[in-house]
Amino acid sequence: VPVANIRNFSIIAHIDHGKSTLADKLLQSTGTVLARDMKEQFLDNMDLERERGITIKLQAARMRYVDKTGEPYCLNLIDTPGHVDFSYEVSRSLAACEGALLVVDASQGVEAQTLANVYLALESNLEIIPVLNKIDLPGADPERIRKEIEEIIGLDCSEAILCSAKEGIGIVEILESIVKKVPPPKDTTKEPLRALIFDSYYDQYRGVIVYFRVMDGKVKEGDVVQFMASGKEYEVGEVGVLSPVQMPVKELFAGEVGYLAASIRSVADARVGDTITLSRVKAEKALPGYQEATPMVFCGLFPVDADQFAELREALERLQLNDAALQFEPETSSAMGFGFRCGFLGLLHMDIVQERLEREYNLNLITTAPSVVYRVHCVDGSVVECSNPSALPEAGKRKEIEEPYVRIELLTPKDYIGSLMELAQERRGEFKEMKFITENRASLVYSLPLGEMVGDFFDQLKSRSKGYASMEYSVTGYKESKLVRLDILINEEIVDPLAVIVHRDKAYGVGRALTQKLKKLIPRQLFKIPIQACIGSKVIASEAITPMRKDVLAKCYGGDITRKKKLLKKQAEGKKRMKSVGRVEVPQDAFMAILRLE
Ligand code: GTP
């Protein structure tokens, strides 16, 4: 089709408002994917994604659509990840489009992520088509939500499409509206090649597969391309379109969306947001907006069994081929032995990597509590970045510590404003702004240390608002705080992975709560185990685990052998995720205790 008949669009929505369901219906109704070939939710094709019901990595699909007048179109849908950890990827995929469907659940209304994504879409100058989804639900109130979107976002919703992705209502209207309202790409085929990478993944046999949108020029098999940010050059082995399975074509032109394979060794060579150009006729300037994804959250990963260290390294190297944001370096801990300090975009990213290591690589790991990156100004004038509390320079050597702050926006029904303000204050949030976005819902803005948000903040937000509040955050920069390091001693030995950096005013409370929690989590032994929290050499809280007397098996009555076996098996399973620290067995939960203090 000519470039005038191409439409590139994406779907933006808050989690669970029905983005994937709608994408599926669009693919089905254009005959791109037959219903019977359709695994549930074609675009979310990672197993983990399907299980968790969220989109992590984005994908793309090309559809053919013949409109009501008989004119054929080529529609490229570029999916966006649905989680805050991946907002940079959302911004890159939006930059590859001319339009976006804004999907809002007609029973729920605008949520924090809806707003964040709309702002990203507006920044990329996209034509936005509002879609009110889930109108089949008894609680749906499209009229109210229509007004809400107009008031909050200032978007004209008089032509908003009423839709039920589940029942297939409104799908044709959406396709017609894409064709009519989303502008076609500009025809800049004559200019030097510039293509924007919005996704990439590592294929064992073909190397990295890069998904991109050609913004200017053209690209074909045999071309030598350069990735402008990494500077790496490769000869293109294959170009193609995503229909949605990969289908090779001869050449891709300005306005088109597709993939290329070029035996690229690692996704770090061809990162999301980078610009592809031709080596012999280079573009003058890369496309705007490239950022290297920087890890914000770090934790230690240690094999339970020291023999698995080499396997862990290999698994991390493999995952990194496919995940440019994942960082790791070897770490040695006096308590834990050899492991790796790993960096992630956020907590979800951390969870996913951990789960994949255990599931796909069969590793048995102990994960230490996540930490942010502190910036330490030392007395000697040097500045040290520290992502590991136990490596914080000594009190005498440091002048001040800075920590990362985020701007956080909470959207909540007005009944929960009080309890959410309390939550933000407990987490050292500085109040910035509150406004009522409708009669019943408010937006609260705080500046808050990222370190206070890592952990159970999101769970707390949900539980204190009965599930009704939503949030969105972005990192704003570093600020000085009065921070101290709290060390934990178990059986008189410092357990370095349990060290935490906390605000001075909270140190005593945290010390007390943490020692109490550890007392509950660490199993009793035959001897007494003291647990202490210290700042420097000063003990600020202490507890003790009393020695165990009874034999566990004594619980079994009458020598019932199956019960006995069960109990022993249960114990063995419990044991798997334990690390011996000195003479004490410390379970995985204890390393995460700091995240769930009462
Ligand atoms: P992420 O992938 O996390 O971004 O979520 P999503 O926005 O893609 O949501 P998804 O399509 O997975 O839908 C979330 C839930 O809403 C699923 O249980 C769907 O079955 C349901 N759902 C989606 N569309 C409709 C609809 O029109 N009506 C009803 N009743 N349920 C729907």
Side-chain angles (χ1 to χ4, degrees):
V1 298
V3 70
N5 287 17
I6 297 177
R7 299 290 182 274
N8 296 317
F9 72 103
S10 91
I11 307 178
I12 53 182
H14 188 75
I15 287 182
D16 270 356
H17 283 199
K19 177 163 64 75
S20 308
T21 313
L22 176 59
D24 288 351
K25 279 287 160 21
L26 294 175
L27 295 183
Q28 276 179 37
S29 99
T30 52
T32 312
V33 180
L34 297 176
R36 67 183 150 81
D37 292 343
M38 190 113 168
K39 277 201 218 143
E40 219 192 311
Q41 297 184 351
F42 200 93
L43 287 171
D44 292 358
N45 63 10
M46 254 167 81
D47 279 355
L48 270 177
E49 291 186 21
R50 200 165 301 133
E51 264 169 47
R52 292 175 177 231
I54 47 164
T55 313
I56 301 161
K57 293 292 281 181
L58 40 108
Q59 302 280 334
R62 189 178 74 162
M63 299 174 256
R64 297 229 164 259
Y65 176 64
V66 180
D67 79 354
K68 285 188 172 150
T69 65
E71 184 74 12
Y73 286 89
C74 164
L75 312 181
N76 289 305
L77 164 60
I78 297 178
D79 199 14
T80 54
H83 192 275
V84 283
D85 284 4
F86 302 92
S87 68
Y88 169 66
E89 295 190 3
V90 178
S91 80
R92 292 305 81 201
S93 58
L94 294 180
C97 297
E98 277 79 30
L101 300 177
L102 169 66
V103 175
V104 180
D105 184 327
S107 65
Q108 304 242 314
V110 173
E111 296 290 350
Q113 247 184 300
T114 320
L115 281 181
N117 286 334
V118 167
Y119 295 142
L120 289 175
L122 291 172
E123 269 169 38
S124 294
N125 285 319
L126 302 194
E127 177 66 34
I128 298 176
I129 300 174
V131 173
L132 305 174
N133 190 31
K134 307 202 188 181
I135 54 159
D136 58 293
L137 287 180
D141 187 352
E143 278 321 304
R144 182 171 62 84
I145 305 303
R146 194 195 298 264
K147 282 207 201 86
E148 194 174 301
I149 300 176
E150 289 190 336
E151 273 169 32
I152 301 173
I153 303 172
L155 200 69
D156 176 13
C157 283
S158 54
E159 292 181 33
I161 299 165
L162 300 186
C163 164
S164 164
K166 197 169 165 193
E167 319 256 289
I169 302 170
I171 305 300
V172 174
E173 287 80 351
I174 291 174
L175 291 166
E176 285 291 315
S177 167
I178 292 168
V179 163
K180 276 200 207 89
K181 291 190 177 157
V182 176
K186 285 201 198 82
D187 186 359
T188 50
T189 301
K190 296 210 169 63
E191 289 174 27
L193 172 66
R194 290 202 297 178
L196 175 65
I197 303 180
F198 59 82
D199 197 10
S200 63
Y201 71 92
Y202 182 79
D203 178 291
Q204 212 179 330
Y205 305 105
R206 299 185 295 163
V208 175
I209 307 295
V210 180
Y211 288 3
F212 58 90
R213 148 82 192 266
V214 185
M215 305 303 286
D216 307 316
K218 53 192 178 187
V219 60
K220 61 177 189 309
E221 185 191 319
D223 281 344
V224 176
V225 292
Q226 186 189 55
F227 297 92
M228 295 181 82
S230 72
K232 295 278 162 59
E233 298 200 348
Y234 286 98
E235 185 183 321
V236 176
E238 181 180 317
V239 294
V241 293
L242 303 149
S243 64
V245 288
Q246 293 172 5
M247 201 174 71
V249 297
K250 281 217 180 69
E251 209 165 0
L252 286 170
F253 299 92
E256 292 191 295
V257 173
Y259 72 92
L260 67 77
S263 306
I264 301 164
R265 279 177 291 273
S266 155
V267 285
D269 290 354
R271 285 175 182 251
V272 170
D274 200 351
T275 301
I276 311 171
T277 190
L278 284 185
S279 171
R280 74 195 146 75
V281 223
K282 286 197 184 79
E284 263 172 42
K285 254 173 82 184
L287 295 161
Y290 175 73
Q291 268 175 32
E292 205 149 299
T294 37
M296 298 306 300
V297 176
F298 286 75
C299 77
L301 290 179
F302 295 89
V304 170
D305 178 355
D307 291 348
Q308 282 197 327
F309 177 76
E311 276 170 68
L312 175 57
R313 178 199 298 274
E314 206 170 293
L316 284 167
E317 278 166 1
R318 290 251 207 97
L319 287 184
Q320 201 177 39
L321 291 176
N322 203 7
D323 184 349
L326 170 66
Q327 276 188 5
F328 62 90
E329 56 180 49
E331 175 184 2
T332 325
S333 148
S334 56
M336 313 285 281
F338 296 102
F340 292 93
R341 191 85 197 154
C342 305
F344 309 92
L345 295 173
L347 281 190
L348 178 76
H349 186 211
M350 177 174 121
D351 267 8
I352 290 165
V353 170
Q354 218 172 292
E355 213 166 311
R356 293 189 63 187
L357 288 169
E358 299 198 337
R359 259 200 233 185
E360 295 167 30
Y361 296 90
N362 260 321
L363 295 162
N364 192 9
L365 302 173
I366 294 277
T367 314
T368 66
S371 163
V372 300
V373 183
Y374 297 93
R375 205 175 275 163
V376 187
H377 296 262
C378 299
V379 185
D380 65 7
S382 61
V383 181
V384 184
E385 300 233 310
C386 175
S387 63
N388 187 349
S390 70
L392 191 76
E394 307 278 310
K397 288 194 180 144
R398 47 178 211 248
K399 215 161 55 199
E400 60 174 55
I401 307 178
E402 289 180 301
E403 63 180 333
Y405 266 72
V406 294
R407 175 192 185 274
I408 177 167
E409 177 165 17
L410 313 174
L411 289 196
T412 176
K414 67 171 186 257
D415 293 354
Y416 308 109
I417 293 173
S419 54
L420 294 189
M421 286 183 132
E422 234 167 66
L423 171 64
Q425 264 148 29
E426 283 165 23
R427 304 301 168 96
R428 297 193 281 133
E430 288 161 32
F431 177 78
K432 290 287 172 201
E433 174 182 23
M434 175 170 100
K435 48 178 194 258
F436 277 85
I437 53 174
T438 63
E439 211 173 291
N440 199 15
R441 310 229 340 273
S443 144
L444 294 170
V445 178
Y446 278 86
S447 169
L448 193 120
L450 177 63
E452 296 277 353
M453 215 189 66
V454 164
D456 69 344
F457 188 88
F458 186 70
D459 294 343
Q460 285 290 331
L461 176 85
K462 286 289 177 194
S463 76
R464 293 191 197 196
S465 67
K466 303 211 164 66
Y468 284 112
S470 59
M471 67 173 252
E472 176 63 38
Y473 73 90
S474 54
V475 177
T476 46
Y478 274 79
K479 257 206 301 213
E480 203 231 320
S481 293
K482 300 279 171 251
L483 300 171
V484 293
R485 185 178 81 210
L486 203 61
D487 287 319
I488 298 294
L489 283 78
I490 295 179
N491 208 18
E492 268 134 39
E493 264 183 66
I494 287 197
V495 183
D496 48 345
L498 287 177
V500 286
I501 293 176
V502 289
H503 194 268
R504 202 166 54 189
D505 300 343
K506 286 177 137 192
Y508 280 82
V510 171
R512 216 173 307 124
L514 185 55
T515 46
Q516 279 165 9
K517 184 101 190 183
L518 289 171
K519 179 181 171 180
K520 281 191 210 145
L521 291 172
I522 296 173
R524 299 160 92 190
Q525 315 273 333
L526 294 165
F527 47 92
K528 181 179 161 193
I529 310 168
I531 299 176
Q532 296 158 310
C534 307
I535 298 175
S537 55
K538 187 167 154 213
V539 178
I540 60 163
S542 72
E543 292 285 337
I545 302 173
T546 51
M548 152 170 81
R549 262 179 250 122
K550 265 186 260 161
D551 180 358
V552 262
L553 293 182
K555 280 198 199 126
C556 295
Y557 48 85
D560 177 339
I561 189 70
T562 53
R563 254 196 82 102
K564 208 173 207 169
K565 270 193 186 148
K566 235 187 201 163
L567 200 61
L568 287 170
K569 189 163 166 255
K570 214 165 142 194
Q571 268 196 325
E573 272 166 12
K575 237 196 191 113
K576 269 204 206 140
R577 298 263 254 162
M578 296 254 198
K579 193 81 188 172
S580 311
V581 175
R583 292 159 67 210
V584 182
E585 297 259 277
V586 183
Q588 167 69 67
D589 283 358
F591 294 101
M592 292 293 166
I594 183 69
L595 302 184
R596 283 180 289 269
L597 296 180
E598 272 103 58

